[in-house]
Amino acid sequence: MTETAEAPTGELAQERRLVTELPGPRSRALMARRKAAVSAGVGTMLPVFITDAGGGILRDVDGNSLIDLGAGIAVVSVGNAAPHVVERVREQVGRFTHTCFMITPYEGYVAVCEALNRLTPGDHEKRSALFNSGAESVENAIKVARAATGKPSIVAFDHAYHGRTNLTMALTAKSMPYKHSFGPFAGDVYRAPMSYPYRDGLSGAEAAARAISMIDKQVGASETAAVILEPIQGEGGFIVPAPGFLPAISQWCTDNGVVFVADEIQTGFARTGAMFACEHEGVVPDLVATAKGIAGGLPLAGLTGRADLMNAVHAGGLGGTFGGNPVACAAGLGAIETIEELGLVARAGQLESILLERLRDMATRHPVIGDVRGRGAMIALEFVRPGTKEPAADVCAAVAKAAHAAGVVVLTCGTYGNVIRLLPPLVIPEHLLHEGLDVLDEAIRASCP
Ligand code: PLZ
């Protein structure tokens, strides 16, 4: 029996332990197979193959235990193989695995929609629909907004990330690697300036006025079906807009018959210390796109919003073969149960205090850290040349590489590639979070010239 087989998921020792170099020999052998079988277009950040994961630990094929500060890009917020998720998935998978909700429905789909209607901001009448991925949810938000308003144009923001399908690539800002060589893109998509307090120095009201002026003059409210934004931008660099920006944009949408779509795919489900990040500013979106943290790792996405909008689409206009798969729905119900039972919204707030205190201390010692920002367990460091705001992507990459070599999984992001983001599972034991931050601190020290 291998070491990993002796330590089944759920009983993984919550400790970082390296028994080989990273990647170890078994990971290297799998990497060779991967190279021969998998498209070179699919990237790998850290070529370490995982066999088990739980709490704050990823265990690899060579028996190494790594600290997980990425949660599979903000997905396993409830932890990997979370007990309620596993129980409900096991139960469901033994009963039936698919009928297609559009053909013969089942209760789990309805129950997830009820939960989404209950949990998303606002107590107005809502309806939901389920899909397979975040990008698909965003695509459907645009379909709903266009059908409901009869208008064509969509406004997204600088630094936005909304997915990799053709329409969502058009909405996404960054060319490399997401859009490069993949055009032409869907039309009638316009880009407005975002609030990026560290770089633009504008108040929320000023940044909103700038964006609204652009939308008004260059697109026109009468042409605009929807404005879509991430309440805290994820891939773009964990950009938290200045206070007042979101409410002003949302209000302008309401006043002008434009559908305000919040992409809460990365920020949703307790991640930011609220169930949804819009709540921090009391913003109630017309439509909310969800995915990632919704189902403890199974592929599930939701679109939730005002009943009059969601019901404006003709019958049969929304759907898909796998959308709201019964096993994924079971996982979704297990994840939501876990968030509520373990009080993970409050837990994310506690993790924020730890993260901000530790990272702000690092910023006083490492002048390469230009900004520390984020909310809840969604916190980032932006690296710059000391004394300037010039992005230091090379330093950021070196820090990430050093952390990885020491067995701590951190992710990078940012339009300028100079941001390290921390997205730990919300169930991570505190000693692992601190140890991960110790490693990060040392990685920064070692990577600074
Ligand atoms: N909207 C805000 O963060 C996915 C992308 C990883 P899918 N972010 C991770 C990568 O490189 O592909 C995301 C997001 C926001 C939409 C999406 C898209 O969600 O489930 O990846 O389609």
Side-chain angles (χ1 to χ4, degrees), residues 1 5 19 72 84 96 116-117 119 163 175 184 204 213 218-219 223 226 303 348 379 412 425:
M1 220 190 226
V19 296
H84 288 320
F96 66 95
L116 287 170
N117 297 347
L119 294 171
S175 173
S213 160
Q218 298 183 40
V219 192
E223 305 303 311
L303 179 65
I379 305 285
T412 58

Side-chain angles (χ1 to χ4, degrees), residues 16 22 25 31 85 124-125 166 277 288 321 367 389 391 399 426 433:
R16 177 175 63 117
L22 291 181
M31 221 29 215
V85 173
H124 51 287
E125 182 83 6
N166 187 266
V288 183
T321 304
K389 290 189 178 181
V399 171
L426 303 179
L433 183 61

Side-chain angles (χ1 to χ4, degrees), residues 271-294:
R271 175 55 53 187
T272 69
M275 191 58 87
F276 292 96
C278 280
E279 293 168 33
H280 293 292
E281 291 206 74
V283 167
V284 177
D286 297 311
L287 297 176
V288 183
T290 53
K292 288 193 184 281
I294 191 175

Side-chain angles (χ1 to χ4, degrees), residues 140-151 225 308-309 311-314 318:
N140 280 279
I142 304 310
K143 284 161 69 170
V144 168
R146 283 179 171 153
T149 62
K151 299 191 277 184
D308 59 317
L309 300 177
N311 287 339
V313 178
H314 53 281
L318 304 178

